[in-house]
Amino acid sequence: MAERACFLMHLRPELVDEYLQAHEHVWPEMLEALSRAGWRDYSLFLRREDGLVVGYCVADDFDAAVAAMDREEVNGRWQSTMARFFATGEHPDRAMERLEEYFHLA
């Protein structure tokens, strides 16, 4: 059974526009790696005023999908490129705050 995952990340508000521009052309090899790792229906949402990012995806096993991405060389390059946009300054995939699902209407 597929699992839905939702998580938060925090952008540096002054870099929001540049971050959005970077996502206009996500590297094709990064998209392929996400698919290989089992990420499906992946979306990112933004609250511009404070840089709050909400991510959502479906995976058979989210922890396994995250681990699979950690093994992808292209992911390391992408995360290094994106790190400067985030408040923590670390790779965004290490700074995700996963939320607990407590209700779902199918």
Side-chain angles (χ1 to χ4, degrees):
M1 182 166 140
E3 123 181 64
R4 291 175 300 278
C6 186
F7 53 89
L8 303 177
M9 298 184 293
H10 304 275
L11 293 173
R12 294 174 48 199
E14 70 275 13
L15 297 178
V16 164
D17 289 336
E18 192 177 343
Y19 172 81
L20 292 174
Q21 288 174 346
H23 280 78
E24 289 178 12
H25 303 286
V26 176
W27 305 336
E29 60 268 31
M30 183 62 175
L31 299 174
E32 292 165 6
L34 285 162
S35 291
R36 256 192 321 275
W39 293 61
R40 301 185 306 276
D41 294 326
Y42 183 24
S43 296
L44 295 171
F45 302 87
L46 172 66
R47 187 171 63 198
R48 281 181 177 269
E49 55 270 17
D50 64 358
L52 177 68
V53 173
V54 177
Y56 169 85
C57 78
V58 174
D60 292 335
D61 177 333
F62 183 68
D63 291 335
V66 169
M69 282 305 292
D70 196 43
R71 293 188 296 272
E72 292 277 354
E73 181 273 335
V74 67
N75 186 57
R77 288 188 288 121
W78 178 265
Q79 299 300 326
S80 291
T81 301
M82 293 294 113
R84 71 183 194 87
F85 295 110
F86 287 84
T88 61
E90 66 181 313
H91 286 197
D93 63 351
R94 295 185 190 134
M96 289 188 296
E97 300 171 44
R98 186 159 178 199
L99 301 177
E100 178 182 347
E101 181 177 12
Y102 64 93
F103 177 79
H104 176 76
L105 174 65

